């Protein structure tokens, strides 16, 4: 075991210990887990408060620092599992550094008012549910953890015996750190995934090295702490989805496998990599556009036909699924800055709150204080904020008082360290922040040093925050919680990468979106199972440009987005075919078809096939408004780019869920006309490039469909009716 390259790459991120040929738990951990596995009569763990104490003891036995956990984790466990909202919790909140006290003295925040009555009079789970948790589910999870070392050893032994996956042979399957630019697959049993997620619940994964390797935090401490720090009903329902998953796997041992694949576009042909198209290849492509079906209502995950289901991803796999969410936006007005005439009342100060780190960014001459996580420096640098007319749209939401410079009191390290951990913000050394500093002055009020911040929100941003966060990716990770296991070993995606997961089962029903998200009970996934034990649920994670504004129409970023989608939609088995498609684009379509048949015959003979020849040819794409909504992209542009990518990837169809947004009312009409006239990928790409060029030069401000339809109308009087 100790000589295994795959195991050694992931070992520092696992809580178990390797000695010689065996993995094991330290003796104190074994003792604690055995006690928990025998139930509350033996372990005396029968409440959230005592459960957290038991978790803390296990963490100490593993030499894990208590400071690595979110500040209010213990309170979050108590709030969720215990049968009432303790009065002491209210009192603690009111007197927590004087922060909430000033809310009452000045203006009580909306969220606190909204949920206070519910929290006082209702428990988050019933007493009966809590009893079942401590008597049945928790002991089963402890037993699963006891067996984790043995599961891992069995996993590595079986990983060497798997001859192929899908239509490929000779690929490593073992659990390992699947680094950026390293194409490959990790195949995990569902039972092992259940044990790994139990580790997340017990907060047993070491955090010390994850940031340096661009990995998300995978422990559940922030998820629980957020219940106490700033209660939000969506957070409660996220936890309920995970608790339900544990209930299911505790009652019946899960059977089957889940695969996690990092796809990489590369210039050179390689069986592991996907051939990367050159910029000019898109304009010359003669590949026909695939069928395009528009659905104005419904959900991607409910689509019945087997297809690649698009996860509108963060570059960090999972995004904010295990925290408060990916992005929270507020405008802060700093009185000290106004008094020094650094900003005006109408301008305000923008702060982007994303979980972890507090600092300042110089932008257009104003200092922007905020919390940044899971966003790269370049994205923030390109944000375009228009302060014109801002004063008329501002309204007061509340007044808050913060100790030091932190916004989220649940992360004490933020108060100590104004600099970001290297994993969270990748600012190139050659481009340091200008004007990076902490606030230099503080007001002293009733003997408490505070920085008074008046919270102001422009109406359109408040709507975006309220309606868009919880985003699609977070919901998907909650209803298909086996996806969370990928956060253990999948670092952030580069522009030429995508992540495909096959077999992650859905366990929960839900309603709503964003703040209205609610867990609604058990979901029994009845999708078929493939030859290696994976449910035929294919989820592809691709991250779009964040808040691209007008730069999304620049040629460089058009290519970035279409290549990103192509990477996700492609089948690595067809890399040689893709290479031919892009290199032989001067050929006629008939000649190309003949050459492809020749390549298919050769590749089918060269590679062992585990599934029927042409199986992937039947799998299309199911997607929606990727890179729009929270990420701020142009829906019309993104729909066309995805269509191009799906067609070039030789997918037979693309089903597009518009979620009934107004911008896509003409989508079906436009796609029907284009398909009727048999446009190629190159034809549509060239039209997009022409439109984007005009948009970048300010020669047009209309959307792509309105720009295109007059041209189509004048070119063809037989065009479909246009309203």
């Amino acid at each position: 075991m100790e000589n295994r390259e795959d195991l050694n790459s992931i070992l520092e991120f696992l809580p178990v210990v390797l000695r010689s040929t065996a993995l094991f738990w330290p003796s104190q951990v074994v003792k604690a887990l055995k006690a928990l596995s025998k139930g509350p009569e033996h372990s005396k763990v029968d409440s959230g408060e005592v459960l957290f104490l038991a978790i803390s003891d296990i963490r100490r036995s593993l030499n894990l620092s208590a400071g690595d956990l979110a500040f209010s984790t213990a309170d979050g466990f108590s709030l969720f599992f215990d049968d009432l909202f303790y009065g002491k919790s209210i009192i603690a909140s009111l007197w927590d550094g004087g922060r909430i006290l000033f809310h009452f003295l000045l203006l009580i925040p909306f969220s606190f008012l909204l949920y206070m009555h519910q929290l006082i009079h209702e428990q988050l789970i019933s007493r009966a549910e809590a009893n079942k948790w401590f008597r049945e589910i928790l002991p089963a999870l402890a037993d699963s953890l006891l067996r984790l070392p043995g599961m891992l050893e069995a996993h590595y032994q079986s990983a060497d015996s798997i001859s192929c996956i899908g239509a490929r042979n000779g690929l490593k399957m073992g659990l390992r750190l699947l680094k950026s630019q390293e194409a490959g697959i990790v195949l995990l049993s569902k039972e092992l995934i259940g044990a790994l997620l139990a580790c997340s619940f017990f907060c047993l994964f070491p955090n010390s090295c994850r940031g340096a390797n661009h990995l998300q935090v995978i422990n559940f401490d922030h998820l629980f702490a957020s219940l106490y720090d700033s209660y939000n009903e969506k957070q409660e329902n996220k936890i309920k989805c995970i608790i339900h998953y544990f209930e299911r796997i505790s009652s019946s041992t899960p059977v089957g496998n889940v695969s996690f694949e990092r796809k990489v576009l590369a210039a050179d042909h390689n069986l592991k990599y996907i051939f990367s198209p050159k910029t000019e290849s898109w304009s010359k492509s003669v590949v026909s556009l695939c069928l395009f079906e528009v659905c104005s209502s419904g959900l991607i995950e409910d689509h019945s036909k087997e297809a690649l289901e698009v996860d509108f991803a963060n570059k960090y796999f999972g995004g904010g699924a295990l925290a408060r969410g990916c992005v929270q936006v507020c405008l802060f007005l700093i009185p000290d800055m106004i008094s020094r005439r650094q900003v005006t009342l109408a301008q305000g100060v923008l702060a982007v709150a994303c979980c972890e780190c507090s600092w300042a960014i110089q932008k257009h001459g104003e200092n922007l204080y905020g919390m940044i996580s899971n966003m790269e420096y370049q994205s923030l640098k390109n944000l375009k904020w228009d302060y014109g007319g801002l004063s008329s749209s501002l309204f007061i939401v509340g007044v808050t008082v913060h100790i030091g410079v932190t916004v989220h009191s649940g992360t004490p390290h933020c108060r100590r360290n104004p600099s970001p951990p290297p994993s969270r913000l990748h600012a190139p050394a050659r481009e340091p922040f200008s004007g990076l500093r902490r606030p230099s002055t503080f007001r002293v009020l009733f003997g408490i040093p505070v920085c008074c911040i008046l919270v102001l929100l422009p109406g359109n941003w408040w709507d975006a925050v309220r309606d868009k966060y919880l985003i699609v990716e977070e919901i998907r990770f909650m209803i298909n919680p086996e996806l969370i296991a990928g956060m253990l070993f999948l670092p952030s995606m580069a522009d030429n990468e995508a992540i495909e997961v096959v077999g992650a089962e859905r366990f929960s029903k839900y309603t709503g979106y964003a703040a209205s998200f609610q867990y609604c009970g058990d979901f029994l996934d009845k999708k078929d199972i493939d030859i290696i034990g994976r449910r035929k649920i294919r989820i592809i994670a691709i991250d779009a440009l964040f808040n691209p504004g007008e730069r999304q129409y620049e040629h460089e970023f058009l290519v970035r987005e279409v290549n990103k989608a192509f990477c996700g939609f492609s089948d690595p088995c067809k890399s040689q075919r893709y290479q031919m498609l892009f290199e032989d684009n001067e050929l006629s379509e008939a000649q190309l078809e003949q050459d492809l048949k020749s390549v298919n015959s050769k590749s089918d003979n060269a590679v062992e096939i585990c599934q029927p020849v042409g199986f992937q040819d039947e799998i299309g794409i199911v997607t929606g408004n990727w890179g729009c909504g929270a990420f701020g992209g142009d829906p019309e542009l993104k729909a066309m780019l995805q269509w191009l990518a799906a067609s070039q990837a030789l997918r037979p169809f693309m089903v597009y869920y518009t979620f009934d947004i107004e911008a896509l009312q003409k989508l079906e009409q436009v796609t029907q006309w284009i398909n009727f006239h048999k446009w190629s990928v190159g034809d549509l790409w060239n039209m997009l490039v022409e439109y984007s060029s005009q948009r970048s030069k300010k020669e047009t401000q209309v959307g792509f469909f309105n720009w295109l339809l007059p041209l189509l109308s004048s070119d063809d009087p037989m065009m479909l009716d246009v309203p």
Side-chain angles (χ1 to χ4, degrees):
M1 291 288 288
E2 60 186 4
N3 295 323
R4 293 192 65 105
E5 184 179 347
D6 47 7
L7 173 59
N8 287 326
S9 73
I10 196 70
L11 189 60
E12 64 180 323
F13 306 107
L14 296 174
V16 295
V17 179
L18 172 64
R19 187 171 299 163
S20 184
T21 60
L23 293 165
F24 65 94
W25 289 112
S27 58
Q28 287 298 106
V29 175
V30 172
K31 181 179 178 181
L33 291 175
K34 282 185 175 179
L36 284 170
S37 69
K38 294 177 181 178
E41 292 81 3
H42 187 88
S43 66
K44 308 303 181 186
V45 175
D46 58 0
S47 69
E49 185 176 8
V50 179
L51 172 58
F52 182 77
L53 292 176
I55 289 173
S56 299
D57 288 341
I58 295 173
R59 285 178 55 84
R60 278 193 292 271
S61 299
L62 293 169
N63 297 316
L64 299 175
S65 170
D68 288 341
L69 295 180
F71 188 73
S72 302
T73 306
D75 298 304
F77 272 88
S78 296
L79 179 55
F80 187 83
F81 288 108
D82 298 341
D83 61 352
L84 65 144
F85 183 56
Y86 295 117
K88 66 179 183 181
S89 297
I90 299 176
I91 296 171
S93 295
L94 296 178
W95 292 95
D96 181 15
R99 180 171 62 91
I100 305 299
L101 173 63
F102 287 108
H103 279 293
F104 280 88
L105 291 175
L106 299 171
L107 186 65
I108 300 174
F110 175 73
S111 60
F112 194 82
L113 281 173
L114 187 63
Y115 298 116
M116 178 62 74
H117 181 272
Q118 177 183 348
L119 287 176
I120 292 176
H121 293 92
E122 298 182 14
Q123 53 209 46
L124 300 193
I125 60 174
S126 69
R127 189 66 256 174
E129 290 172 322
N131 285 335
K132 181 178 181 180
W133 169 264
F134 291 110
R135 291 181 179 278
E136 300 176 19
I137 303 171
L138 185 62
L141 294 185
D143 182 68
S144 178
L145 287 176
L146 282 170
R147 294 184 287 110
L148 176 61
M151 288 186 205
L152 286 168
E153 291 177 4
H155 162 76
Y156 285 109
Q157 291 170 5
S158 64
D160 294 333
S161 65
I162 299 174
S163 61
C164 64
I165 186 168
R168 278 161 288 168
N169 191 20
L171 295 178
K172 297 178 181 178
M173 302 293 159
L175 175 60
R176 63 195 183 281
L177 185 64
L178 207 52
K179 298 177 182 177
S180 183
Q181 306 305 318
E182 180 185 323
I185 298 174
V186 169
L187 184 69
L188 303 177
S189 71
K190 287 175 171 285
E191 185 179 16
L192 176 56
I193 288 174
L196 293 173
L197 295 193
C199 281
S200 292
F201 176 82
F202 279 79
C203 305
L204 301 183
F205 287 111
N207 285 336
S208 56
C209 298
R210 296 189 64 81
N213 288 275
H214 312 299
L215 289 163
Q216 289 269 63
V217 173
I218 190 174
N219 290 328
F220 292 171
D221 53 317
H222 285 278
L223 201 55
F224 279 93
S226 64
L227 282 179
Y228 181 87
D229 289 335
S230 53
Y231 175 80
N232 189 306
E233 193 172 3
K234 71 176 185 183
Q235 294 298 106
E236 173 193 336
N237 282 279
K238 286 166 70 173
I239 296 175
K240 285 182 176 180
C241 288
I242 292 175
I243 295 302
H244 173 67
Y245 163 74
F246 285 137
E247 180 181 0
R248 281 273 301 271
I249 66 170
S250 298
S251 61
S252 177
T253 302
V255 177
N257 298 303
V258 180
S259 66
F260 299 81
E261 177 177 10
R262 183 183 289 274
K263 296 179 176 181
V264 182
L265 293 181
D268 299 326
H269 176 65
N270 186 302
L271 269 180
K272 290 173 58 179
Y273 294 84
I274 302 161
F275 183 76
S276 178
K278 298 176 183 177
T279 303
E280 63 274 12
S281 299
W282 289 102
S283 64
K284 298 177 181 179
S285 174
V286 296
V287 175
S288 298
L289 291 166
C290 66
L291 296 176
F292 195 112
E293 179 183 346
V294 178
C295 298
S296 60
S297 61
L299 299 169
I300 291 172
E301 60 269 22
D302 291 336
H303 188 74
S304 57
K305 192 172 182 180
E306 184 178 4
L308 275 177
E309 302 171 8
V310 178
D311 166 23
F312 308 155
N314 188 290
K315 66 178 289 186
Y316 288 86
F317 188 63
L322 300 184
R324 289 180 177 88
C326 289
V327 183
Q328 300 170 19
V329 181
C330 297
L331 290 178
F332 291 115
L333 185 67
I334 313 296
D336 286 332
M337 297 178 66
I338 295 173
S339 66
R340 295 195 299 272
R341 299 182 181 278
Q342 288 180 283
V343 294
T344 67
L345 180 64
Q347 288 174 322
V349 179
L350 176 72
V352 182
C354 294
C355 309
E356 297 283 355
C357 314
S358 182
W359 53 20
I361 299 174
Q362 188 76 18
K363 180 67 181 173
H364 296 311
E366 289 93 24
N367 289 299
L368 309 184
Y369 297 96
M371 312 276 288
I372 314 299
S373 173
N374 298 343
M375 288 185 187
E376 56 183 335
Y377 168 66
Q378 193 64 34
S379 294
L380 287 167
K381 208 175 78 168
N382 288 314
L383 288 175
K384 305 295 185 184
W385 302 108
D386 182 9
Y387 288 111
L390 189 65
S391 58
S392 62
S393 63
L394 288 173
F395 63 93
I396 297 176
V397 174
V399 179
T400 185
V401 176
H402 292 278
I403 300 215
V405 294
T406 186
V407 174
H408 286 244
S409 61
T411 50
H413 62 277
C414 293
R415 290 190 285 270
R416 298 194 301 265
N417 181 13
S419 301
S423 67
R424 295 303 185 210
L425 199 73
H426 311 296
R430 64 182 181 277
E431 294 187 49
F433 284 103
S434 58
L436 181 63
R437 63 179 182 83
R438 296 178 68 173
S440 57
T441 60
F442 296 91
R443 300 290 189 191
V444 177
L445 188 58
F446 299 111
I448 303 175
V450 297
C451 177
C452 295
I453 301 175
L454 180 63
V455 180
L456 298 170
L457 289 167
N460 59 329
W461 273 102
W462 174 247
D463 290 340
V465 175
R466 181 191 62 200
D467 294 335
K468 299 301 181 186
Y469 304 100
L470 192 65
I471 64 173
V472 173
E473 184 174 41
E474 294 175 57
I475 293 174
R476 199 65 199 260
F477 272 64
M478 295 302 105
I479 64 174
N480 298 63
E482 290 165 331
L483 291 168
I484 297 171
M487 297 170 68
L488 172 63
F489 54 86
L490 289 166
S492 61
M493 290 181 280
D495 284 348
N496 65 329
E497 295 180 323
I499 293 170
E500 182 176 342
V501 183
V502 182
E505 187 175 344
R506 180 176 170 186
F507 287 84
S508 297
K509 295 178 183 176
Y510 76 96
T511 60
Y513 178 70
S516 64
F517 171 74
Q518 282 194 333
Y519 162 75
C520 289
D522 183 48
F523 180 89
L524 189 60
D525 206 322
K526 297 181 179 179
K527 296 236 175 124
D528 293 338
I529 297 174
D530 68 14
I531 196 169
I532 55 172
R534 303 174 300 175
R535 284 206 180 271
K536 293 182 179 179
I537 304 166
R538 300 170 177 271
I539 298 171
I540 185 68
I542 49 175
D543 59 300
L545 292 168
F546 176 75
N547 199 41
E550 290 299 311
R551 69 189 174 111
Q552 67 186 305
Y553 304 108
E554 297 173 15
H555 193 268
E556 171 190 355
F557 296 108
L558 283 178
V559 173
R560 188 271 183 198
E561 296 293 79
V562 75
N563 281 353
K564 169 67 75 168
F566 174 71
C567 181
F569 299 166
S570 60
D571 175 7
C573 303
K574 298 178 181 176
S575 186
Q576 191 175 356
R577 306 179 207 179
Y578 298 147
Q579 184 176 6
M580 253 190 119
L581 287 172
F582 282 118
E583 290 183 347
D584 293 345
N585 42 40
E586 297 296 336
L587 297 176
S588 69
E589 193 166 359
Q591 290 173 305
L592 194 56
E593 183 71 24
Q594 185 61 38
D595 287 349
L596 281 175
K597 288 179 180 178
S598 174
V599 171
N600 293 348
S601 175
K602 291 177 182 178
S603 63
D604 291 345
N605 292 330
V607 182
E608 179 181 355
I609 301 296
C610 279
Q611 302 198 22
V613 176
F615 175 76
Q616 282 271 3
D617 293 336
E618 303 170 4
I619 298 174
I621 305 296
V622 181
T623 187
N625 305 322
W626 170 63
C628 308
F631 274 55
D634 179 339
E636 298 178 24
L637 188 70
K638 287 295 197 295
M640 295 297 100
L641 290 172
Q642 290 184 85
W643 192 15
L644 289 167
S647 302
Q648 192 69 35
L650 304 179
R651 297 294 178 179
F653 65 86
M654 187 166 90
V655 178
Y656 195 102
Y657 285 87
T658 66
F659 305 108
D660 204 24
I661 67 170
E662 185 177 355
L664 296 179
Q665 286 183 350
K666 295 181 180 179
L667 177 61
E668 185 170 17
Q669 207 165 14
V670 170
T671 55
Q672 284 180 355
W673 189 95
I674 290 173
N675 265 331
F676 179 78
H677 286 78
K678 302 186 183 303
W679 279 19
S680 68
V681 167
D683 294 331
L684 180 55
W685 171 260
N686 291 331
M687 292 299 284
L688 273 179
V689 169
E690 183 181 345
Y691 165 75
S692 298
S693 175
Q694 291 186 23
R695 187 71 183 257
S696 294
K697 295 174 184 177
K698 309 294 185 185
E699 294 174 1
T700 183
Q701 290 298 318
V702 301
F704 177 67
F705 296 164
N706 286 332
W707 176 86
L708 186 65
L709 286 173
L711 295 183
L712 297 177
S713 299
S714 61
D715 182 56
D716 186 353
M718 300 301 292
M719 180 190 166
L720 296 173
D721 291 336
V722 180

